[in-house]
């Protein structure tokens, strides 16, 4: 089959079928760079903020659809460390949107057996958002169907540096496991630092943008021109189906060639 990583979407999803899972542990780890909100709004003659509001509604649909797509862990890139450079009004609106989402979705996550965690720095976000994060994480901590991780004020490079600082002088030899655990700690993730199986980026760009660089070492990459506010559960299912059709070698050769 073709191994082109740029996937052009179609509008026929009637034959899309993906394996189902019932728990966070058994499902695959999908990470999504939710790009294209601003351009979606601009194309409609609306302010960029309208794109962010529309994008927040899509998050709910994708979170609900994820378990039935065989996804056990879903990590969403909501706000990068570089996003602080955006206009202050846009940043303020995004912070309010995050808080509103957490408040509105916490009960839904509890009902749907979803554990929610926010990864990234916590020393620069508004106090009211930090309170909402703590409430949401505490309320959903027993969820077992899906691990939902939302990256806010996140930078993979910064996480690696801060993890290295934690480990400096603690041991003669640092292993990959040591670094992975330290990265989980600095990112406020309490579980295992799981590798990403499938990285999806919407909006047409084809880059990682400092997102989960360590965890994406062997991730399959799936890029779509679809802007995030237009992304649907059927698009997610299509991406997962494409993932399962690929041959993952992890640096080895196929069994037929090895024989």
């Amino acid at each position: 089959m073709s191994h082109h990583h740029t996937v052009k979407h179609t509008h026929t999803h009637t034959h899309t079928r993906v394996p189902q899972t019932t728990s966070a542990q058994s499902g695959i780890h999908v990470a999504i760079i939710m790009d294209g909100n601003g351009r979606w709004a601009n194309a409609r003659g609306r302010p960029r903020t309208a794109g962010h509001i529309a994008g927040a509604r899509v998050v709910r649909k994708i979170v609900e659809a994820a378990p039935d797509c065989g996804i056990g862990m879903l990590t969403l890139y909501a706000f990068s460390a570089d996003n602080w450079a955006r206009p202050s009004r846009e940043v303020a609106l995004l912070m309010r949107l995050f808080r509103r989402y957490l408040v509105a979705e916490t009960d839904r996550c509890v009902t749907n057996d979803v554990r929610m965690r926010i990864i990234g720095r916590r020393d620069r976000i508004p106090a009211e958002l930090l309170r909402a994060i703590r409430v949401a994480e505490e309320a959903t901590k027993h969820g077992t169907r899906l691990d939902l991780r939302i990256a806010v004020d996140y930078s993979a490079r910064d996480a690696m540096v801060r993890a290295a600082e934690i480990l400096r002088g603690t041991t003669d030899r640092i292993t990959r496991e040591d670094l992975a655990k330290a990265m989980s700690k600095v990112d406020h993730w309490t579980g295992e630092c799981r590798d990403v199986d499938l990285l999806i980026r919407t909006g047409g760009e084809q880059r990682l943008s400092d997102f989960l660089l360590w965890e994406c070492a062997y991730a399959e990459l799936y890029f779509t021109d679809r802007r995030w506010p237009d992304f649907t559960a059927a698009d997610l299912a299509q991406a997962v189906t494409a993932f399962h059709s690929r041959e993952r070698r992890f640096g080895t050769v196929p069994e037929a060639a090895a024989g």
Side-chain angles (χ1 to χ4, degrees):
M1 65 157 287
S2 169
H3 283 269
H4 287 306
H5 284 160
T6 305
V7 181
K8 299 299 181 185
H9 46 255
T10 65
H11 294 281
T12 19
H13 301 290
T14 50
H15 299 294
T16 300
R17 186 175 61 85
V18 293
Q20 294 191 2
T21 188
T22 54
S23 78
Q25 292 300 312
S26 60
I28 63 172
H29 182 187
V30 173
I32 306 180
I33 300 175
M34 307 179 291
D35 199 15
N37 289 344
R39 281 168 289 150
W40 179 90
N42 290 340
R44 288 158 178 75
R46 300 170 69 185
R48 289 174 57 85
T49 51
H52 295 312
I53 292 168
R57 288 195 290 267
V58 173
V59 169
R60 172 187 288 178
K61 296 175 184 175
I62 296 307
V63 169
E64 288 183 346
D68 288 335
C69 287
I71 297 169
M73 178 177 284
L74 180 65
T75 306
L76 305 177
Y77 205 5
F79 190 86
S80 76
D82 292 331
N83 287 157
W84 291 110
R86 291 187 177 187
S88 57
R89 287 183 64 183
E90 183 176 347
V91 170
L93 175 108
L94 283 168
M95 293 297 157
R96 288 197 301 273
L97 266 180
F98 297 151
R99 181 177 173 276
R100 193 181 308 162
Y101 175 85
L102 292 174
V103 171
E105 296 302 309
T106 294
D107 286 346
R108 188 186 301 267
C109 284
V110 171
T111 299
N112 292 331
D113 201 18
V114 174
R115 178 170 73 146
M116 182 174 9
R117 294 287 299 186
I118 308 302
I119 64 171
R121 291 180 59 165
R122 299 196 177 185
D123 57 322
R124 301 189 290 193
I125 59 178
E128 59 271 21
L129 174 57
L130 186 57
R131 282 193 294 272
I133 288 172
R134 289 170 175 159
V135 168
E137 290 181 341
E138 178 64 24
T140 65
K141 66 182 180 181
H142 297 300
T144 60
R145 189 164 183 245
L146 175 72
D147 275 328
L148 170 63
R149 310 193 313 163
I150 302 175
V152 177
D153 197 3
Y154 177 86
S155 160
R157 285 180 168 180
D158 287 351
M160 290 180 193
V161 169
R162 287 182 287 131
E165 288 175 347
I166 287 176
L167 295 172
R168 184 169 54 189
T170 60
T171 179
D172 293 333
R173 180 175 174 271
I174 297 173
T175 66
R176 289 184 180 184
E177 290 74 21
D178 293 334
L179 187 60
K181 287 178 182 176
M183 287 174 59
S184 292
K185 184 176 181 179
V186 300
D187 281 333
H188 301 93
W189 170 244
T190 57
E192 176 189 0
C193 186
R194 285 180 60 183
D195 283 351
V196 173
D197 296 298
L198 171 64
L199 175 94
I200 301 170
R201 180 167 187 149
T202 63
E205 304 291 348
Q206 298 184 25
R207 54 179 177 266
L208 295 179
S209 297
D210 200 15
F211 185 45
L212 301 177
L213 300 181
W214 176 272
E215 297 90 334
C216 282
Y218 283 100
E220 293 292 329
L221 308 180
Y222 183 99
F223 301 110
T224 173
D225 292 330
R226 181 100 64 201
R227 291 165 180 164
W228 179 248
D230 291 327
F231 195 75
T232 66
D235 292 321
L236 178 66
Q238 187 177 30
V240 172
T241 298
F243 162 78
H244 284 295
S245 72
R246 296 180 185 179
E247 181 181 24
R248 307 186 75 203
R249 301 180 186 176
F250 301 102
T252 66
V253 296
E255 285 185 14

